[in-house]
Amino acid sequence: MSAKSRISRMKRLTKINVFQFIKYNFFCRNVKRDRGCYLIPYRGAVIELQKGSLLELHANLAVNAEKMRGSKAEAYLLLREGARLTVDGDVRLTYHSVIEVHKHARMSLGRCYINIGAVLIAGYEMRIGDGVLISRNVYIYDSVHHRLYASNG
């Protein structure tokens, strides 16, 4: 490995929240991962895995990646009680983005890139396949999350 590539790799490592990395990859019961697959929380990543939820990693999941230098921007990963998120391909969740899986819902992500400000909320079941690029400020829901009323009330 050349000196230039070592320096580049070290710069990337300084952007990772080391305490969250160790906590979620080695001590959290809610995270099941294959060997060599990691949850990579960059600084500013907000991760909440509620009781009975499961994050299954068959590839890497980078949370709050690619934010600008000096930015305090956040990205959110929230799994409610009994929720399940399966990562089957490398996923990059950029800053100001949200992945939320509601109570007892399921979400499956293939190899994809989730751009700035995108919001993915699963109320029942959602599948995002391989090679998907989700643009800025896109909202993807699998349910309406509120009641709809007819025009007569």
Side-chain angles (χ1 to χ4, degrees):
M1 185 182 296
S2 72
K4 192 174 187 177
S5 65
R6 282 189 199 136
I7 291 170
S8 174
R9 191 173 194 185
M10 286 174 58
K11 282 183 180 178
R12 273 186 278 140
L13 289 175
T14 62
K15 296 177 183 178
I16 294 173
N17 184 324
V18 177
F19 297 110
Q20 279 188 335
F21 181 85
I22 292 168
K23 173 186 172 184
Y24 289 112
N25 288 297
F26 301 107
F27 296 109
C28 185
R29 291 182 179 174
N30 299 62
V31 178
K32 303 291 181 218
R33 59 184 188 82
D34 294 346
R35 173 173 253 145
C37 301
Y38 298 99
L39 171 60
I40 305 168
Y42 287 85
R43 294 182 193 274
V46 178
I47 300 169
E48 184 179 337
L49 306 176
Q50 293 183 355
K51 182 181 177 182
S53 65
L54 178 63
L55 174 58
E56 247 185 299
L57 298 172
H58 304 293
N60 294 326
L61 170 60
V63 180
N64 209 33
E66 301 177 22
K67 67 180 185 174
M68 296 185 300
R69 185 182 209 157
S71 171
K72 295 187 190 226
E74 299 175 333
Y76 299 91
L77 174 62
L78 172 60
L79 302 183
R80 303 244 184 232
E81 184 181 331
R84 182 181 198 135
L85 172 60
T86 305
V87 178
D88 293 317
D90 287 344
V91 176
R92 294 186 68 79
L93 179 68
T94 59
Y95 61 96
H96 292 302
S97 296
V98 177
I99 292 179
E100 184 174 339
V101 186
H102 285 204
K103 189 174 182 178
H104 303 295
R106 305 282 179 258
M107 182 184 287
S108 174
L109 299 173
R111 184 179 44 84
C112 64
Y113 180 85
I114 302 166
N115 210 339
I116 302 163
V119 176
L120 281 70
I121 300 178
Y124 299 104
E125 185 172 359
M126 180 184 294
R127 294 180 189 183
I128 306 290
D130 283 341
V132 174
L133 304 172
I134 298 174
S135 187
R136 291 177 178 225
N137 302 316
V138 170
Y139 289 73
I140 302 175
Y141 300 154
D142 72 342
S143 80
V144 293
H145 302 289
H146 60 84
R147 294 181 184 193
L148 296 177
Y149 295 99
S151 59
N152 60 359

